[in-house]
Every structure is written in C-alpha cells, then in structure tokens.
Amino acid sequence: MSGDDTERKRCPRRDPAGLFRPGHVVKICAPMVRYSKLAFRTLVRRYGCELCYTPMIVAADFVRSAKARDSEFTTNKGDNPLIVQFAAKEAQVLCDAARIVCPFANGIDLNCGCPQRWAMAEGYGACLINKPELVQDMVRHVRNQIDNPTFSVSIKIRIHEDLKRTVDLCKKAEATGVSWITVHGRNIEERHQPVHYDAIKVIKESVSIPIVANGDIKTLKDAENVHHLTGADGVMVARGLLANPAMFAGYEETPLRCIQDWVDIALEHGTPFTCFHHHLMYMMERITSKQEKRVFNVLSSTSAVLDYLNDHYGV
C-alpha cells in the first residue's frame, strides 16, 4: 500500500453512511477493474463525485501478499471518502482484509455482483446472491471485529430472476448490519439488456437502509430519472464516468478542462501509459471524429499523446 502511511492515518475519515440523507442523491464512482484507481478517483472527485470505490480486490490475495497490497491499493489524504471493494468467500479472510485497510479507508464493500466466469468458479461475486447466510456471516464478522463505528460495510448485488429471493437477501443483509446495498438491476445472465429499474424500486420499498441504483446511468439527467423511477438514495456510475468524468457536474460531454486535469493528475501520479491513454480514449470518444480516433488511438507514448493534445486542443 503505497503513499505516506503516517499522513493517511492522521487524515480525518468521515462516516460515508452520513452522505445518505433525505432529499439528496449520493453520486458514486463504481468499482472498475483497471480504471477506478487513485488517479481517476482524484479526477472525478473534482467534478461532483461524492464517494469512490476501488477496483475489486481479491481479499485472500490481499491478506496473503504484501506485493498484492502494494499493487492493488493506493490512496492519499484527499482520497476520501473511500470504499475498498473485496471479493471474498470466507468471513475471517474478509475481516482480515478489512482490518488492513481500516486505517486508510472509510469502509469496505463485498462484491456479490461480478458475473465473470472466473469469479463465479472461485465462489466470488454474483454466486453469493444465492448464499444469503454466507453474506450475513461475512458482514457480521466484519461488524464484530472492526471497532470503528463509522467504518461502513456494504454489499453490491445483482438481482435474481425471482425478485422475492433478492428482497429476502437484502432483508437478511439489513438485519446483520449492512450500511447500504448497491443494486445492479440485471440478473447474472444479462449484460446489455435493459436495466430492471422496477426491481430496484421494489427492493428500495422493502428495506429501511439506503439503496444505490446501478446500471446504464450515463448522464446527470439519467441519474435524476433513475432516482425518480426507483426512489434510490444514490446512483453508482461506471462507463458513464469513463466517457465523461465531469458528468456529475452536469457536463454533457468531457470538457477540455477535465482533459487537462486528467493529464496533470496522471503525470503527477506516474500513471502507466496504457491506463493514461485508455482513459483519454474513453473521455474523447464523443468529441473526436473517426479520423481523429484512428490517429489518436494508436499513439504509443506519453510524449506523442501530449503533443497531439497540444496541437489539436491546446491542452
């Protein structure tokens, strides 16, 4: 875990559950493999994002390996409030991982929604929605062993074909002390099908804890519409923020100021070229022509990218 550990321990950590309040919709950056790392979290926080998640980290590897901890989890004083998302299938392993990050983060999230084959085969991710007692056990263990009362424990789920099973899962998680639940409104088999916002509404009406809606939110207007459709207390965005990190600030497309901010932040953080370049490809998707994309997307060095941005956009 790189960064100044002493500085991070001094950093006042807010209770993320306090973000959820009547009449307010919390704006959240989703956990994204390779993408929702410190530099990108720094960027979206400048443009109205209130809560950020790390990419999913396999808890067992994190606990076992110092190398995994150093490569998977980086934060700093301004990276706050922060939720660390873990893939886990054993209560004590999740507890051990939570204990390690507790001084540097505001909470953990248990991934119960990843539908990738490798995760399901290992007993992680979306297969956990079929094991509500195991989810309860993991949440209970963290609650019992982490003595910081403001440290949140949340879960992120997909829905069942039979929504009654999802409501049962959510009620059991609520009874065990989960802080909030993020609901991706698709089942395990669905990828690009329409999101079942009606299902999120039913879940919201069935529990008393905050519910976060996730799935196909690409603009601030989408976020507002989903809130009205579901009654959700927050919205979590993935691809919409990749395409426009300033969307929560109300921009319809990525402003040049945001591109400049990304360049500055990425260079300051020593972001690897591939990640630096891929973020720009996403951010510039809506503001570049096909011909421009053909040129920009094959650039192979930071200097070439900087020259292109300066020549074409004055960035």
Side-chain angles (χ1 to χ4, degrees):
M1 298 186 294
S2 53
D4 185 333
D5 287 0
T6 305
E7 178 189 70
R8 289 186 298 178
K9 285 182 179 177
R10 285 203 307 266
C11 177
R13 290 289 172 181
R14 298 171 11 221
D15 178 1
L19 293 169
F20 298 97
R21 55 189 187 272
H24 178 70
V25 183
V26 183
K27 301 173 183 69
I28 305 170
C29 178
M32 292 179 278
V33 176
R34 294 185 299 277
Y35 292 119
S36 53
K37 295 196 172 184
L38 175 59
F40 188 69
R41 299 194 302 264
T42 303
L43 178 67
V44 296
R45 289 183 194 280
R46 291 188 183 181
Y47 290 90
C49 186
E50 298 169 273
L51 182 63
C52 291
Y53 281 52
T54 68
M56 182 183 76
I57 299 169
V58 176
D61 296 341
F62 190 78
V63 170
R64 185 172 54 241
S65 165
K67 183 178 179 182
R69 292 193 289 276
D70 288 339
S71 64
E72 296 291 336
F73 181 59
T74 308
T75 187
N76 62 20
K77 189 175 178 180
D79 191 27
N80 179 24
L82 176 67
I83 305 301
V84 182
Q85 191 188 65
F86 285 113
K89 57 184 176 181
E90 297 167 289
Q92 192 54 51
V93 172
L94 181 62
C95 275
D96 292 343
R99 192 178 290 109
I100 292 168
V101 301
C102 185
F104 314 118
N106 302 82
I108 63 156
D109 183 81
L110 175 62
N111 186 311
C112 304
C114 178
Q116 294 183 58
R117 284 194 183 92
W118 75 266
M120 303 274 285
E122 292 286 338
Y124 299 135
C127 68
L128 291 177
I129 66 172
N130 298 318
K131 301 176 181 179
E133 288 77 21
L134 176 56
V135 172
Q136 280 188 299
D137 192 37
M138 288 196 276
V139 172
R140 188 181 296 115
H141 266 69
V142 178
R143 278 278 176 243
N144 289 342
Q145 293 186 35
I146 299 292
D147 59 7
N148 179 350
T150 68
F151 192 76
S152 68
V153 183
S154 57
I155 62 174
K156 184 173 186 289
I157 67 171
R158 282 186 172 236
I159 60 173
H160 297 84
E161 290 269 1
D162 178 1
L163 193 59
K164 290 177 185 174
R165 296 179 64 196
T166 315
V167 170
D168 177 66
L169 167 67
C170 293
K171 285 183 174 179
K172 285 177 175 173
E174 177 182 27
T176 317
V178 80
S179 306
W180 67 83
I181 299 172
T182 300
V183 183
H184 183 105
R186 293 186 175 99
N187 65 43
I188 292 173
E189 302 300 326
E190 293 176 321
R191 295 295 183 271
H192 305 293
Q193 291 87 341
V195 176
H196 302 287
Y197 295 119
D198 55 334
I200 300 176
K201 183 175 191 287
V202 170
I203 293 165
K204 169 61 188 169
E205 292 171 348
S206 302
V207 296
S208 300
I209 56 173
I211 294 295
V212 174
N214 175 229
D216 281 3
I217 299 168
K218 295 174 181 173
T219 65
L220 188 58
K221 184 68 175 171
D222 287 345
E224 292 165 356
N225 289 341
V226 167
H227 166 66
H228 290 305
L229 283 170
T230 65
D233 306 276
V235 291
M236 176 182 281
V237 180
R239 285 175 294 178
L241 279 173
L242 283 181
N244 178 9
M247 66 163 277
F248 283 142
Y251 291 93
E252 292 295 317
E253 58 188 29
T254 309
L256 290 181
R257 176 70 246 174
C258 183
I259 292 172
Q260 178 69 66
D261 284 344
W262 170 245
V263 170
D264 295 342
I265 291 166
L267 294 179
E268 180 186 340
H269 284 263
T271 301
F273 172 73
T274 301
C275 181
F276 169 65
H277 190 208
H278 280 187
H279 272 296
L280 286 169
M281 287 161 62
Y282 279 115
M283 291 162 63
M284 295 168 64
E285 174 71 24
R286 298 179 193 168
I287 61 175
T288 51
S289 66
K290 286 183 179 180
Q291 176 59 34
E292 287 172 325
K293 287 183 183 66
R294 278 195 289 268
V295 175
F296 183 79
N297 292 358
V298 298
L299 296 176
S300 58
S301 71
T302 299
S303 59
V305 168
L306 296 178
D307 287 344
Y308 183 96
L309 292 174
N310 185 52
D311 292 345
H312 290 77
Y313 298 100
V315 171

